[in-house]
Amino acid sequence: MLRYSLRRVVIGMGMLLALSALIFLLLRLAPGDPIDAYIDPNIPMSSSDLADLRSRLGLDQPLPVQYLAWLQQALAGNLGYSIKRLDQPVLNLVLSRIGPTVLLMGTALVIAIVAGIAIGVISAVRRNSLADISFSVFALAGISSPAFLSALIGLYIFSVRLNWTPSGGMLTPGEEFSILDLLRHLILPAALLAIAQAALIMRYMRASMLEVLNQDYVRTARAKGVVEFWVITKHALRNALLPVVTLIGSTIGLAIGGAIFIESVFNWPGMGLLLVDAVETRDYPVIMGATLVIGTCVIIVNLLTDIAYAVIDPRIKVG
């Protein structure tokens, strides 16, 4: 297991390197001149001043030289400074936004796992029933609905029309911090973010559970008179969870993509909102730093998922 984990860490570092190089290249290939993000359009600058600024920023160097210079600083823990917040190191800015995003995504993931597994099991046990058909329609709608559409519809219904939840932010401005106030702001964006994940987990759980319920050892347990609850939970559920565990790890990327839209719509002060603001203002250092941190989180989660897969099924050997 240790050798396997170390090999996966090395592979993950290579993937991070490739990701950073790709994002760096795409940013440089984007329309416009990177120097425009550093200057005030209301202040005229001569061509010599622009050339001097370009030289000081290293933008007059070839792209490989620019990337290697950035990589050298990044490996030393220096991701540079935000263009729009000159007194803010990118690393501090990114780290300050991780907490709210982890809270939002963690809550959404818990909701998705619990709801998806429970609904999937019920649908499999009550195959072709009204409940199964209803849950299948829900899953199809959840998978098909883009995150930004779900966010806008949910915001309109629950915040604007019904006034059940706040319309945005993480806390109520001007009020003292309280867990209840945080939960009121958290529940709607987390639930909306969980919809697509719960739908996917439900579909995989249902299919996996149906396959397991037809196995000989399940029929044998029933023939021995084992209570149906224990047949489902002890004998069938654990084996049916194996493909779902892998799916849960892969949905982290889906959750990150959805979180960007959810945080933008609900003005949630996390990584997604930071990344959107950085793209709009062409804040290249923040885009690179945020992308690097997000990529690192995804790779760590995938590694933990693989390890969990081996723990759940002792027959799985890693090497």
Side-chain angles (χ1 to χ4, degrees):
M1 178 66 73
L2 178 60
R3 185 167 59 248
Y4 170 78
S5 300
L6 291 176
R7 187 169 70 247
R8 286 300 305 272
V9 169
V10 173
I11 294 175
M13 293 175 63
M15 294 175 62
L16 279 179
L17 184 65
L19 175 64
S20 64
L22 178 61
I23 297 299
F24 189 90
L25 178 62
L26 291 177
L27 288 176
R28 292 300 185 266
L29 293 178
D33 190 342
I35 198 68
D36 294 338
Y38 291 85
I39 62 177
D40 188 345
N42 298 318
I43 300 177
M45 296 186 66
S46 64
S47 56
S48 60
D49 291 336
L50 288 174
D52 180 63
L53 178 61
R54 190 183 302 275
S55 176
R56 285 190 286 113
L57 294 174
L59 297 176
D60 59 337
Q61 300 293 324
L63 285 182
V65 176
Q66 295 182 38
Y67 173 71
L68 290 176
W70 175 86
L71 182 61
Q72 182 181 10
Q73 294 296 319
L75 292 176
N78 178 20
L79 298 178
Y81 286 81
S82 169
I83 296 175
K84 300 304 177 182
R85 307 174 182 87
L86 296 178
D87 60 333
Q88 285 282 349
V90 171
L91 184 59
N92 293 346
L93 194 61
V94 170
L95 292 179
S96 68
R97 299 295 189 98
I98 288 181
T101 294
V102 170
L103 176 63
L104 177 62
M105 290 183 56
T107 305
L109 189 60
V110 170
I111 294 174
I113 292 174
V114 174
I117 291 177
I119 294 174
V121 171
I122 294 173
S123 294
V125 173
R126 300 183 179 180
R127 183 180 182 183
N128 296 329
S129 66
L130 179 60
D132 181 28
I133 296 174
S134 301
F135 289 144
S136 296
V137 172
F138 158 77
L140 179 61
I143 295 173
S144 304
S145 300
F148 70 89
L149 180 61
S150 301
L152 292 175
I153 293 176
L155 178 65
Y156 176 75
I157 293 176
F158 296 102
S159 296
V160 177
R161 300 296 298 179
L162 300 178
N163 197 29
W164 287 356
T165 61
S167 59
M170 187 174 173
L171 298 168
T172 302
E175 293 188 5
E176 293 185 4
F177 172 81
S178 68
I179 298 297
L180 182 60
D181 184 45
L182 175 62
L183 292 177
R184 289 181 62 248
H185 286 79
L186 174 64
I187 186 62
L188 182 57
L192 293 173
L193 181 58
I195 288 177
Q197 294 172 282
L200 278 175
I201 293 173
M202 175 264 172
R203 294 300 298 169
Y204 271 76
M205 191 69 218
R206 179 183 183 276
S208 180
M209 197 71 178
L210 285 174
E211 181 180 354
V212 171
L213 288 175
N214 291 324
Q215 298 296 318
D216 291 338
Y217 64 87
V218 174
R219 288 194 290 266
T220 301
R222 285 171 171 164
K224 289 181 177 180
V226 178
V227 178
E228 184 66 15
F229 176 79
W230 295 115
V231 171
I232 299 299
T233 57
K234 184 177 180 180
H235 295 275
L237 182 58
R238 181 170 182 176
N239 290 323
L241 279 175
L242 292 177
V244 178
V245 169
T246 303
L247 174 68
I248 291 173
S250 64
T251 58
I252 297 298
L254 176 65
I256 290 175
I260 293 176
F261 294 107
I262 296 293
E263 290 185 3
S264 299
V265 172
F266 286 92
N267 197 32
W268 187 266
M271 291 283 293
L273 186 60
L274 175 66
L275 193 56
V276 170
D277 291 340
V279 171
E280 290 179 348
T281 59
R282 302 184 67 176
D283 197 336
Y284 296 109
V286 172
I287 296 174
M288 289 294 299
T291 303
L292 190 65
V293 171
I294 290 174
T296 301
C297 294
V298 171
I299 290 173
I300 292 175
V301 169
N302 286 334
L303 173 60
L304 295 177
T305 300
D306 291 342
I307 295 175
Y309 193 94
V311 171
I312 292 176
D313 188 356
R315 297 171 300 174
I316 303 296
K317 300 297 182 181
V318 294

